[in-house]
Amino acid sequence: LRLRSEGIVSKRRIGILGSGNVGMTLGSGLVRLGYDVMLGSADPRRSAIPWATHVGRGAHAGTHAEAAQFGELAILATRWHVTQAAVADARAALAGKIVVDATNPLVFHGHDLPTLALANDDSAGEQVQRWLPQSRVVKAFNAVGVAQMVAPAFRDGPPDMFICGDELAAKRVVGELCRTLGWNAFDLGGITRARLLEPLAILWIAISSQRRQHDHVLTMLVQ
Ligand SMILES: NC(=O)c1ccc[n+]([C@@H]2O[C@H](COP(=O)([O-])OP(=O)(O)OC[C@H]3O[C@@H](n4cnc5c(N)ncnc54)[C@H](OP(=O)(O)O)[C@@H]3O)[C@@H](O)[C@H]2O)c1
């Protein structure tokens, strides 16, 4: 695992809500970097406890509320249709904390590309911030596949992780987290910029289904 040693985020305990592909990928990467991580789930027996047992030291499992309580910083990694229930369980424990929102409000249509349940004049990032008015929501990690999410290795160096959120101090911490995981953080502005970031996830998926590969990232080149 090629990771940068600098820029280690000061928040050492991280709670992840959602124990699926994204939760386990970020969780395992962060444990390898020395963080203590709790994966939260509606039913921890399903995959959070097996994950923690498999990963071992530094890995913990619990409910969404327990993961939110455990984390000095939280990451939201649930399927969109269960996100409201997950954040409702965790709302009190997330008050005042940075919440990294990796979700996409995807609606699936069989073999066709998914569409967005919220778009144009709203976004999942904004909805999450409305559900958690006392938390500091930063959108990140939503427009990259799990295969490249931790320590992406490209010849031209770290790719860009586009982030957005209303609070500068929170974005600084999330920017550090991105660098720690092998990314350049590119701050797009306030949380309304999630309206731009969530369609990027569908672009990522479209490229993936066209190429039948998961090894790409969307980045920015500047002359
Ligand atoms: N997969 C990717 O490459 C990727 C990349 C970037 C962003 N995202 C976004 O990140 C979020 C998580 O993605 P993921 O791939 O990790 O999702 P996932 O593995 O399909 O599911 C994540 C979690 O959502 C809950 N969930 C999923 N299906 C459920 C169902 N039928 N009934 C009840 N709960 C269900 C579970 O939560 P509990 O653990 O609480 O039970 C599950 O652990 C999504 O919003 C996705 O759009 C995904």
Side-chain angles (χ1 to χ4, degrees), residues 107-124:
V107 180
F108 293 96
H109 307 282
H111 291 301
D112 292 337
L113 286 176
T115 52
L116 295 170
L118 298 173
N120 301 323
D121 58 359
D122 201 1
S123 61

Side-chain angles (χ1 to χ4, degrees), residues 9-211:
V9 179
S10 51
K11 313 231 180 272
R12 306 301 309 172
R13 281 185 290 115
I14 298 190
I16 301 182
L17 281 66
S19 60
N21 295 314
V22 173
M24 287 193 277
T25 299
L26 288 176
S28 298
L30 289 164
V31 168
R32 275 141 87 186
L33 284 161
Y35 291 86
D36 272 316
V37 177
M38 183 180 288
L39 273 199
S41 172
D43 179 1
R45 289 167 302 180
R46 202 165 42 214
S47 51
I49 290 173
W51 172 83
T53 306
H54 173 74
V55 174
R57 196 189 163 108
H60 313 268
T63 62
H64 292 132
E66 287 166 343
Q69 188 64 47
F70 176 89
E72 296 168 276
L73 173 150
I75 299 174
L76 190 53
T78 44
R79 283 252 180 155
W80 183 244
H81 69 281
V82 298
T83 300
Q84 184 172 11
V87 299
D89 289 346
R91 186 179 293 116
L94 293 174
K97 293 182 183 173
I98 296 170
V99 176
V100 178
D101 172 27
T103 68
N104 290 300
L106 298 183
V107 180
F108 293 96
H109 307 282
H111 291 301
D112 292 337
L113 286 176
T115 52
L116 295 170
L118 298 173
N120 301 323
D121 58 359
D122 201 1
S123 61
E126 289 162 272
Q127 180 62 77
V128 168
Q129 182 65 84
R130 288 195 295 270
W131 284 329
L132 298 172
Q134 297 190 60
S135 302
R136 304 142 75 195
V137 176
V138 180
K139 189 99 207 168
F141 295 100
N142 74 296
V144 55
V146 284
Q148 301 295 329
M149 207 169 260
V150 174
F154 291 91
R155 209 178 31 225
D156 297 330
D160 293 305
M161 175 65 71
F162 300 110
I163 70 172
C164 66
D166 287 340
E167 200 205 290
L168 209 51
K171 287 189 285 193
R172 276 201 207 102
V173 172
V174 176
E176 257 183 83
L177 182 71
C178 293
R179 283 187 285 283
T180 300
L181 289 165
W183 295 85
N184 283 324
F186 188 96
D187 179 4
L188 283 169
I191 194 65
T192 57
R193 291 290 190 256
R195 299 173 193 181
L196 305 178
L197 276 182
E198 291 160 13
L200 278 189
I202 298 185
L203 176 62
W204 188 95
I205 293 166
I207 294 169
S208 178
S209 60
Q210 194 175 328
R211 295 183 59 242

